[in-house]
Amino acid sequence: MAPALEAQVPQEAQAVAGNNSILNSVNDAATHRSKVTVIGSGNWGSVAAKLIASNTLRLGSFHDEVRMWVYEETLPSGEKLTDVINRTNENVKYLPGIKLGKNVVADPDLENAVNDSNMLVFVTPHQFMEGICRRLVGKIRADAEAISLVKGMEVKMEGPCMISSLISQQLGINCSVLMGANIANEIAVEKFSEATVGYRHNREVAERWVQLFYTPYFIVTAVQDVEGVELCGTLKNVVAIAAGFVDGLEMGNNTKAAIMRLGLREMKAFSKLLFPSVKDSTFFESCGVADLITTCLGGRNRKVAEAYARNGGKRSFDELEAEMLQGQKLQGVSTASEVYEVLSHRGWLQLFPLFSTVHEISTGLLPPSAIVEYSEKLPRSF
């Protein structure tokens, strides 16, 4: 009996060792899987979480769970927004009727939401980004990669700072960008759309972001032009405000098309003056002309600007935003102000009459009808 038992011991030990080896391999694989956090939970942030969550379940190189940081709010029912998202798998305030994916976990604690994540997706109104970055200093992994879906810029004494640069400078990590013709509610119901990832140096990182967002209905391509992609996504909101003025005054499609063409020209000129490395070809990607078209035809900036013009500029954008957007934020008006500050500081106002006029109308210095009068100021050399 003893020899037989002795003979069995090595086999059992081998089985245990084999199981341990398998577990170790699984653990090793798990430690190399990327963990994703979405920082922001508005309309677009919720759609981004939905896209990402569908891919993390499918792809073995990502952890299944997707954390989504939520700026906590109390709903009319008295419940916390985070609790309702986690119970119903739906952002009932900013994306009602759309299931996000059971692997999306809402978290109101920013530090906890980013804990141990190495892929950070920023998608909040740009005016909140500096404060968010300050809170994250020293709280994220050293090897983390970021991507910004944020449209806008910060204007500082030394000049304009793109949001991707703000993230990189404050957090010490690389930051790509994703922009495109992306009206969130259409993507939420899986209507076909495209987007552009802008990356700086590392093509492999860019492809990883493409992999994370790409679905059969959301086609993503990558270009090596962070500033070009980001400025397209930022400046098109200013042009959309102009398009909304045209709609509000019922000036017609010819006028709107002219405004869009002139707006694209100013977008390109402004981008290349700030960053000579910006590529002409970027303006023909989804982030460029396609995003400009869709934002001028739909989108919240056009919608609220139309209401502003219909009211003859007598109701402020702040008032209309609060009434029409249910907690969402406009980007075009604040971006127009920031662009105007750059133009004024650098003596470029006369070179960018459309951008300048949008700001002056938005602040009540000019009536909405001035949107088609600015061309009289257009320099022949422009």
Side-chain angles (χ1 to χ4, degrees):
M1 294 292 293
L5 286 172
E6 287 173 4
Q8 290 175 10
V9 171
Q11 291 176 353
E12 291 172 0
Q14 287 171 11
V16 170
N19 288 337
N20 286 340
S21 177
I22 292 169
L23 287 171
N24 287 337
S25 296
V26 170
N27 289 334
D28 286 343
T31 59
H32 289 95
R33 288 189 297 163
S34 293
K35 185 176 180 183
V36 185
T37 295
V38 177
I39 300 167
S41 58
N43 187 235
W44 184 212
S46 298
V47 173
K50 177 182 185 288
L51 288 166
I52 291 166
S54 69
N55 283 326
T56 59
L57 283 178
R58 184 176 60 83
L59 300 169
S61 53
F62 298 95
H63 282 277
D64 288 352
E65 183 180 277
V66 176
R67 291 260 160 186
M68 181 174 74
W69 175 65
V70 176
Y71 179 79
E72 191 65 281
E73 301 179 54
T74 302
L75 299 174
S77 64
E79 291 182 279
K80 299 293 187 185
L81 178 58
T82 301
D83 293 337
V84 175
I85 292 172
N86 287 332
R87 178 169 55 80
T88 65
N89 192 228
E90 183 179 322
N91 189 333
V92 295
K93 180 168 184 180
Y94 295 111
L95 195 66
I98 301 296
K99 297 300 181 184
L100 302 180
K102 299 243 179 239
N103 53 323
V104 175
V105 178
D107 192 335
D109 185 326
L110 180 59
E111 291 181 25
N112 189 63
V114 303
N115 183 47
D116 204 34
S117 290
N118 64 327
M119 298 188 79
L120 305 177
V121 180
F122 289 88
V123 53
T124 67
H126 78 274
Q127 54 266 41
F128 303 139
M129 277 302 303
E130 192 160 15
I132 288 171
C133 285
R134 278 199 301 267
R135 291 172 61 187
L136 290 177
V137 172
K139 304 294 193 298
I140 62 173
R141 286 173 49 165
D143 65 342
E145 288 281 341
I147 193 165
S148 172
L149 281 60
V150 181
K151 282 114 176 161
M153 66 175 76
E154 294 283 329
V155 177
K156 302 177 181 296
M157 289 296 292
E158 60 272 22
C161 177
M162 303 312 298
I163 298 301
S164 63
S165 297
L166 178 75
I167 293 167
S168 291
Q169 290 166 10
Q170 291 210 12
L171 302 181
I173 58 176
N174 182 53
C175 186
S176 305
V177 296
L178 182 143
M179 306 283 162
N182 304 146
I183 292 178
N185 288 334
E186 295 182 11
I187 301 168
V189 294
E190 303 186 3
K191 292 183 178 179
F192 181 83
S193 184
E194 296 178 311
T196 311
V197 166
Y199 69 99
R200 204 169 296 284
H201 303 298
N202 193 328
R203 177 78 190 187
E204 287 183 14
V205 170
E207 292 297 343
R208 202 149 176 71
W209 288 119
V210 169
Q211 189 181 35
L212 189 63
F213 281 94
Y214 192 104
T215 73
Y217 63 89
F218 192 70
I219 307 304
V220 186
T221 56
V223 299
Q224 192 172 6
D225 186 5
V226 169
E227 287 82 10
V229 173
E230 190 167 10
L231 276 164
C232 281
T234 296
L235 297 173
K236 54 92 183 189
N237 284 327
V238 180
V239 186
I241 297 289
F245 294 153
V246 169
D247 287 343
L249 296 170
E250 299 181 355
M251 290 179 171
N253 291 329
N254 292 341
T255 305
K256 190 170 179 178
I259 290 294
M260 291 165 66
R261 184 190 71 81
L262 294 166
L264 181 61
R265 185 167 69 174
E266 290 197 12
M267 286 169 58
K268 182 179 173 185
F270 184 81
S271 299
K272 292 178 81 69
L273 278 174
L274 285 184
F275 300 100
S277 63
V278 167
K279 299 174 180 177
D280 289 347
S281 58
T282 298
F283 294 90
F284 296 96
E285 298 289 343
S286 177
C287 64
V289 65
D291 195 7
L292 177 66
I293 291 169
T294 199
T295 309
C296 290
L297 296 180
R300 69 188 75 157
N301 290 282
R302 188 219 61 82
K303 176 182 176 183
V304 178
E306 179 182 8
Y308 181 87
R310 287 192 187 282
N311 284 279
K314 294 186 173 79
R315 298 182 66 193
S316 72
F317 271 99
D318 287 342
E319 182 184 355
L320 292 167
E321 176 187 87
E323 178 184 299
M324 300 175 69
L325 299 186
Q326 294 152 346
Q328 295 182 69
K329 293 294 181 185
L330 283 178
Q331 299 299 310
V333 174
S334 56
T335 301
S337 175
E338 290 153 354
V339 168
Y340 191 89
E341 190 175 339
V342 174
L343 298 179
S344 180
H345 180 72
R346 301 199 178 192
W348 293 347
L349 284 172
Q350 293 300 312
L351 293 175
F352 296 91
L354 180 63
F355 286 172
S356 302
T357 302
V358 167
H359 172 71
E360 290 167 358
I361 295 173
S362 300
T363 53
L365 294 174
L366 292 174
S369 59
I371 198 62
V372 293
E373 296 164 6
Y374 83 94
S375 59
E376 297 172 7
K377 301 183 290 184
L378 193 65
R380 292 180 181 274
S381 61
F382 186 76

